[in-house]
Amino acid sequence: MASNLPIPIPPRTPTPPLDDPPSISDQTPHLHDKDSLSPLRDTFPSSRGTLDPGDANRLSPTRAGFNLSPADALQQGDQSDNAGGPFNFKTMTMAKGPVVKSNIGQRRGHKYKHSSISHQIFLEPPPRAPLALPNSLPIPTFKEYRSSMSRDQTTRFWWSVCHMCIAGYTLWSAHGSLAMTALSHLILFDSLGAMLCVAVDILGNFEVWKRSSVRHPFGLERAEVLAGFAMCVLLLFMGMDLISHNLQHFLESSGHEPHHTHVHERVSLGRVDFTALLAISSTLISAIGLKNHGRIGKAMRFGYIESLPSVLSNPSHFLTLSCSTLLLLLPLVSIKLYNWLDVLLSGTISISMCVIGVRLVKTLGSMLLMSYSGPGVSEVIRDIEADPCVYGVDDARFWQVHYGLCMANLKLRVSGTEENLVRLRERIASLIKNRLGGGYGSGGQKWEVSLQFTAEKA
């Protein structure tokens, strides 16, 4: 008998409820039959023969029971609204007033510095003393610069202007003499140097010129080096211009036809003498009164004229005074000898200007690059290594900041007692200042020496 029973149809997988469930009136009424799903029945009733896909709520958990009649469903829905069932959602109205924020039970964003754990990990840095150097110092305006001039500085300024006028007069009266033309270029260079000396002296009235700051670690004194570098480049170009002019004059005298005719007449005797005397007097006044080219002369040393008096030991003054003195001899010679002597003197001046210009450009250029180009460095290092307390020199740096300041930084391997090391520091500092700075009272550059010792085991 059991083998003849038909296999019952398994129930269909429940379908999830829709977003908008159909109303109760649209559902098909079903009669309640307690034996409708009994396994003893050989067939299911016709009402359950096919599953209704449209009945989305037949297996819904929100329904209190299955196969309820419409009347029972309405009654069950009314009872569920009044009873506190598990899905009893009530409509709530949001308040229209502002929401009062409460910090009770809340924490702000986590900050490592103020957290309880970070007090043991992130410690406050120790307070540091403020920097001894200011961040920057005010740079004077032109009005402040002019109002700070003293009576002596005003007098020196107007003298530098007169020196420039003498250079212009020499160039204007140099027609017919190449030597006077070259001399006018030298006087122009000297007058620019005199003006620079006055400008530097006036800028010394302000604190920003010499005092160090974060923005200008060595003050504004390096601006003088830059201005001197520009003057030396101008001197070099003026010497080259004179050389080209001399070559052109030589080709014209050898028979070549020039593109532009140049009339070279002999200068009168009185004009040559007056111009030469003006050049000598103006050079001496600027050299003695304004200390013209004094800093450049210390930075650039010529061994041939270093033993001469203070004025003549400066290469620029020596060249101007010697050429002005030789210029006094031109009116005393014959016309034929005058032409050769004039060209020879002009060529000598132009070549000397190029030599001095190249030497100054190299010296001041290395100073702008923070290096030292003076002699005596190798001898100083050799004397330091000869000390019995010194095992070796690991590093040695010598560099010049501006005309008045040089620095030496050395790293040494030493051994000995504390007293011997203190004496070694004093000896090395004295050695550098005497050998490279010219010694005490000589007016040379100021040297700042910093030493780093590495102790070696004996």
Side-chain angles (χ1 to χ4, degrees), residues 98-399:
V99 179
V100 179
K101 184 178 180 181
S102 176
N103 294 330
I104 300 176
Q106 298 181 3
R107 288 188 64 184
R108 292 181 177 270
H110 182 70
K111 297 184 182 299
Y112 292 101
K113 181 178 179 182
H114 301 287
S115 63
S116 58
I117 301 178
S118 63
H119 284 302
Q120 304 174 4
I121 302 176
F122 301 96
L123 301 178
E124 290 286 343
R128 295 188 303 175
L131 294 176
L133 298 179
N135 188 20
S136 62
L137 293 172
I139 298 178
T141 60
F142 180 76
K143 185 177 180 180
E144 295 173 348
Y145 179 85
R146 185 178 178 182
S147 61
S148 67
M149 295 173 61
S150 62
R151 185 182 182 87
D152 179 62
Q153 291 172 348
T154 305
T155 304
R156 297 171 66 184
F157 170 77
W158 287 112
W159 166 247
S160 62
V161 174
C162 293
H163 200 167
M164 286 187 178
C165 294
I166 293 174
Y169 171 78
T170 306
L171 182 62
W172 175 76
S173 61
H175 296 288
S177 175
L178 295 176
M180 289 184 62
T181 304
L183 182 61
S184 66
H185 288 69
L186 280 177
I187 299 175
L188 177 62
F189 176 72
D190 291 340
S191 63
L192 291 176
M195 180 66 73
L196 178 61
C197 290
V198 175
V200 168
D201 190 20
I202 299 173
L203 283 173
N205 299 333
F206 299 93
E207 191 179 15
V208 70
W209 180 252
K210 291 186 177 181
R211 185 179 177 185
S212 301
S213 62
V214 177
R215 186 173 184 181
H216 303 286
F218 306 102
L220 289 181
E221 290 190 74
R222 283 177 60 83
E224 183 184 3
V225 182
L226 184 60
F229 181 80
M231 286 174 48
C232 298
V233 172
L234 178 62
L235 179 66
L236 179 62
F237 276 99
M238 287 191 300
M240 292 181 178
D241 179 68
L242 289 174
I243 291 176
S244 64
H245 195 69
N246 290 331
L247 291 176
Q248 183 181 1
H249 179 73
F250 175 76
L251 293 176
E252 290 178 3
S253 61
S254 61
H256 293 274
E257 295 182 0
H259 296 284
H260 303 283
T261 58
H262 297 274
V263 180
H264 296 280
E265 299 178 356
R266 183 171 180 174
V267 185
S268 62
L269 301 179
R271 182 179 297 180
V272 174
D273 295 338
F274 181 71
T275 304
L277 291 175
L278 274 179
I280 293 174
S281 59
S282 61
T283 302
L284 290 175
I285 292 174
S286 296
I288 298 174
L290 302 182
K291 304 296 181 182
N292 188 16
H293 301 310
R295 298 180 181 88
I296 293 180
K298 293 177 182 178
M300 182 187 60
R301 301 171 182 176
F302 281 90
Y304 303 103
I305 60 177
E306 203 170 10
S307 59
L308 296 176
S310 59
V311 176
L312 296 178
S313 61
N314 193 308
S316 179
H317 300 331
F318 177 80
L319 184 60
T320 305
L321 293 175
S322 59
C323 293
S324 302
T325 305
L326 291 175
L327 196 62
L328 294 174
L329 302 176
L330 286 181
L332 304 178
V333 299
S334 62
I335 298 177
K336 186 176 181 180
L337 186 60
Y338 167 83
N339 293 331
W340 284 102
L341 188 59
D342 183 67
V343 174
L344 180 62
L345 186 57
S346 176
T348 304
I349 295 175
S350 58
I351 294 175
S352 301
M353 290 172 65
C354 290
V355 172
I356 295 176
V358 170
R359 184 76 175 269
L360 285 175
V361 165
K362 181 180 177 181
T363 303
L364 299 183
S366 63
M367 198 180 301
L368 289 175
L369 296 176
M370 305 289 281
S371 63
Y372 180 73
S373 59
V377 176
S378 58
E379 290 80 3
V380 169
I381 296 178
R382 192 181 303 113
D383 291 343
I384 294 175
E385 290 177 341
D387 193 279
C389 295
V390 178
Y391 275 82
V393 179
D394 293 338
D395 193 9
R397 302 293 177 91
F398 297 84
W399 43 295

